[in-house]
Each structure stands twice: as structure tokens, then as C-alpha cells.
């Protein structure tokens, strides 16, 4: 960074509790701002003095009104360690979301939308809870259907699904296309083009049109949007929110560590008692 140039353009350096507060300081006369989360410091600049990166440890710089939408943005901005970060899927600094970012698998830049690691968190939840999200991103979490919609509504994305088993094996699948509609559209799921990996496909082209999940609506125990005569999400061997058809061959939100959790991923993982962890992550193209 050119210190002389940055000092000439510096409008001010302030104590700041968050990047939201820092961005709020960047008014009409400000074109560029920096935030250091370790120092809790904010800098506002009149002009853009760098392409968007700084060599100063801990400082990150942003164009005014340019928001970090997802983990791919963070990776592009020089963050290469996996962990929990603040993102802004809605495109506004007033709606931050804590998300786990995987910066290593398949090139990194993945935003986790579902994680089950400890099994201590119940996924037998209501429509509103799935809408808003629940859990902790560093452990067990559903990021929220509204957030999933925001992340995918204008960004063609890939979906990465992994299941780790009690025997230490981890299996995964990737889908080239993934998006979810808004609440008015019942969070309808759209999938495209999996390349068969070690887990196999139990969502898109299962060989049974009554089990394929692309085009299906989201259901919860208190909101029945599937094609089955009963509510799949409310059945004793399913229990949990998901996209259901005539029920289905895949369901990662079942009753943890239970023989009643049937078909987490049909043909590959037949009963939930064998599951040690699950992850769903997305990355825009």
C-alpha cells in the first residue's frame, strides 16, 4: 500500500465495533473504507488507493456499497482459512449472517448451508425455524431457507453434499446446478447435472420419478407441501424439514443416531444410525 497516497485520501480513522458500523461511516464523500476486526478500527477514504487488497495484516478494504455476499467473495478477498465468517447474502450491511466457509475442498469458496457434526441439535423444526435458520455455524446448523434463496436467486451455484460414516469413511456428491425459490414459492428446489462421485445421486435422477427432488417444495412437520397423501416431514421415520416428492430417497435432516432415520441417502447410506456427520455447501459459478 502507498502510505502517502492513502494518508492524502484518508478521511478518518475511528474505533468501530463492526464492519457494519464502519460501512455506515462511509457516506457520500467516501469511496473506499477499511476495517480491521482485530483492532476494531475503521478507515474511510475519499479515493480508491488500491484494487481492493492491502498488504497490512488484519486490514480489509471495500468499495463503498460493495458487500461480501458469500464465502467465494471472502476467498477472492484473500481469506484462505476455513472457519466462521460474516457474510451479507441479502446485499445489505444491515443483514449479516454468520456462515461456515470451507476454503479447501474442491478449490474452496464454499458456503455451508447445513452441517451436522455433534448431533446434539434437533432438526425436527417448524416452517418458521427453517425459514430463519437455527444452530451454530461452527457445529450443527441450518443457515435458513431465506438465506439459501438469497445466495442462489441470481447466482448459478453448485451443491456439494458429504456424509461421514461411523466407520470413518466420508462420501460426497456434487450437483452442477442448485437454487431455491423464495417463501412465496415454497422454497422450491432446482437441481441440475450431478457428476457421479462416491456418494451417488439420490436427489435428481433416482430412477423413480416419484422420488426425484428437483422441482419439489420444502416441507416441515407443520407445513405439508409434498406429493404424498400424508406429510412426509411428519412421518415417524423421517421427522424434519426437507424437499419431498412422494417422500424420497434422500433426507439429511432426520432423527440423529436413530434406526428410525430411514434412507439418509438411499442405496449408499440406508439408516441414520450409521451417520457420523453431514454437510451441504454451495458455491456460485
Amino acid at each position: 500500500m502507498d502510505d502517502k497516497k492513502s494518508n492524502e485520501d484518508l478521511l478518518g480513522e475511528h474505533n468501530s465495533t463492526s464492519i457494519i458500523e464502519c460501512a455506515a461511516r462511509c457516506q457520500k464523500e467516501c469511496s473506499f473504507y477499511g476495517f480491521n476486526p482485530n483492532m476494531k478500527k475503521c478507515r474511510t477514504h475519499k479515493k480508491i488507493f488500491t484494487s481492493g487488497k492491502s498488504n497490512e495484516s488484519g486490514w480489509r478494504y471495500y468499495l463503498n456499497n460493495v458487500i461480501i455476499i458469500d464465502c467465494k467473495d471472502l476467498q477472492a478477498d484473500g481469506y484462505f482459512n476455513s472457519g466462521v465468517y460474516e457474510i451479507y447474502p441479502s446485499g445489505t450491511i444491515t443483514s449479516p449472517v454468520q456462515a461456515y466457509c470451507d476454503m479447501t475442498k474442491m478449490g474452496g469458496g464454499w458456503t455451508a448451508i447445513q452441517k451436522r457434526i455433534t448431533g446434539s441439535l434437533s432438526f425436527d423444526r417448524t416452517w418458521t425455524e427453517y425459514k430463519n435458520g437455527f444452530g451454530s455455524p461452527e457445529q450443527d446448523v441450518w443457515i435458513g431457507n431465506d438465506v439459501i434463496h438469497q445466495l442462489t436467486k441470481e447466482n448459478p451455484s453448485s451443491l456439494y453434499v458429504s456424509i461421514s460414516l461411523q466407520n470413518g469413511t466420508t462420501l460426497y456428491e456434487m450437483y452442477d446446478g442448485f437454487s431455491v425459490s423464495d417463501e412465496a414459492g415454497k422454497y422450491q428446489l432446482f437441481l441440475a447435472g450431478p457428476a457421479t462421485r462416491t456418494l451417488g445421486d439420490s436427489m435428481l435422477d433416482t430412477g423413480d420419478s416419484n422420488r426425484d427432488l428437483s422441482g419439489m417444495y420444502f416441507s416441515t412437520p407443520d407445513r405439508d407441501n409434498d406429493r404424498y397423501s400424508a406429510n412426509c416431514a411428519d412421518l415417524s421415520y423421517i421427522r424434519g424439514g426437507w424437499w419431498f416428492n412422494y417422500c424420497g430417497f434422500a433426507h439429511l435432516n432426520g432423527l440423529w443416531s436413530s434406526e428410525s432415520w430411514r434412507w439418509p441417502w438411499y442405496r449408499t447410506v440406508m439408516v441414520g444410525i450409521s451417520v457420523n456427520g453431514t454437510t451441504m455447501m454451495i458455491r456460485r459459478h
Side-chain angles (χ1 to χ4, degrees):
M1 185 180 83
D2 187 332
D3 289 332
K4 181 178 180 181
K5 190 172 184 180
S6 67
N7 288 335
E8 288 174 352
D9 295 336
L10 184 67
L11 292 171
E13 181 168 306
H14 316 272
N15 293 327
S16 183
T17 59
S18 70
I19 190 175
I20 296 175
E21 182 180 316
C22 184
R25 290 183 176 275
C26 199
Q27 302 298 323
K28 292 181 179 179
E29 73 277 8
C30 171
S31 298
F32 203 61
Y33 64 95
F35 179 65
N36 189 316
N38 298 319
M39 297 172 62
K40 301 295 184 183
K41 290 285 187 178
C42 172
R43 292 172 180 167
T44 54
H45 295 267
K46 186 175 183 179
K47 298 179 182 179
I48 301 169
F49 62 83
T50 181
S51 62
K53 295 182 179 180
S54 170
N55 292 325
E56 290 180 287
S57 177
W59 282 93
R60 292 181 59 212
Y61 289 88
Y62 307 85
L63 291 172
N64 192 11
N65 297 323
V66 174
I67 304 298
I68 298 296
I69 299 294
D70 57 16
C71 297
K72 188 171 182 179
D73 278 344
L74 284 163
Q75 185 185 49
D77 208 32
Y79 280 68
F80 303 118
N81 293 324
S82 298
V84 177
Y85 294 90
E86 195 166 80
I87 60 173
Y88 303 86
S90 67
T92 170
I93 60 172
T94 60
S95 302
V97 173
Q98 297 294 312
Y100 183 86
C101 297
D102 190 305
M103 301 304 194
T104 60
K105 288 185 178 66
M106 308 293 289
W110 295 94
T111 303
I113 61 173
Q114 188 258 27
K115 283 177 62 186
R116 303 184 79 177
I117 296 176
T118 68
S120 60
L121 184 71
S122 172
F123 277 60
D124 184 5
R125 301 275 180 152
T126 65
W127 178 268
T128 299
E129 288 174 299
Y130 271 98
K131 165 187 166 70
N132 296 327
F134 53 86
S136 302
E138 66 274 11
Q139 294 184 342
D140 296 3
V141 70
W142 184 265
I143 201 170
N145 288 340
D146 279 349
V147 171
I148 298 173
H149 167 65
Q150 291 163 355
L151 288 168
T152 61
K153 64 180 179 179
E154 296 176 354
N155 301 308
S157 300
S158 297
L159 171 68
Y160 178 102
V161 178
S162 70
I163 301 178
S164 59
L165 304 177
Q166 294 289 348
N167 64 12
T169 303
T170 297
L171 308 171
Y172 75 100
E173 178 63 278
M174 285 185 63
Y175 294 87
D176 294 334
F178 172 85
S179 65
V180 171
S181 70
D182 60 10
E183 185 176 20
K186 304 175 186 176
Y187 301 118
Q188 188 175 18
L189 171 68
F190 298 96
L191 283 175
T196 301
R197 307 296 174 113
T198 55
L199 190 57
D201 173 27
S202 293
M203 294 179 72
L204 180 59
D205 186 11
T206 66
D208 182 346
S209 60
N210 288 321
R211 308 290 186 174
D212 297 343
L213 300 186
S214 186
M216 295 300 105
Y217 302 116
F218 200 85
S219 290
T220 55
D222 64 333
R223 190 75 63 91
D224 183 3
N225 293 317
D226 60 49
R227 296 176 60 229
Y228 188 48
S229 57
N231 182 0
C232 295
D234 197 35
L235 295 176
S236 61
Y237 56 87
I238 295 181
R239 297 300 304 182
W242 194 253
W243 301 274
F244 294 108
N245 184 342
Y246 206 79
C247 296
F249 284 155
H251 176 43
L252 299 185
N253 294 339
L255 298 171
W256 186 263
S257 192
S258 169
E259 293 183 358
S260 298
W261 180 9
R262 192 176 74 176
W263 299 350
W265 204 267
Y266 181 68
R267 289 193 179 94
T268 309
V269 185
M270 298 296 288
V271 290
I273 195 106
S274 64
V275 175
N276 190 49
T278 69
T279 304
M280 298 173 67
M281 304 187 296
I282 59 176
R283 181 178 66 193
R284 57 189 163 85
H285 297 167

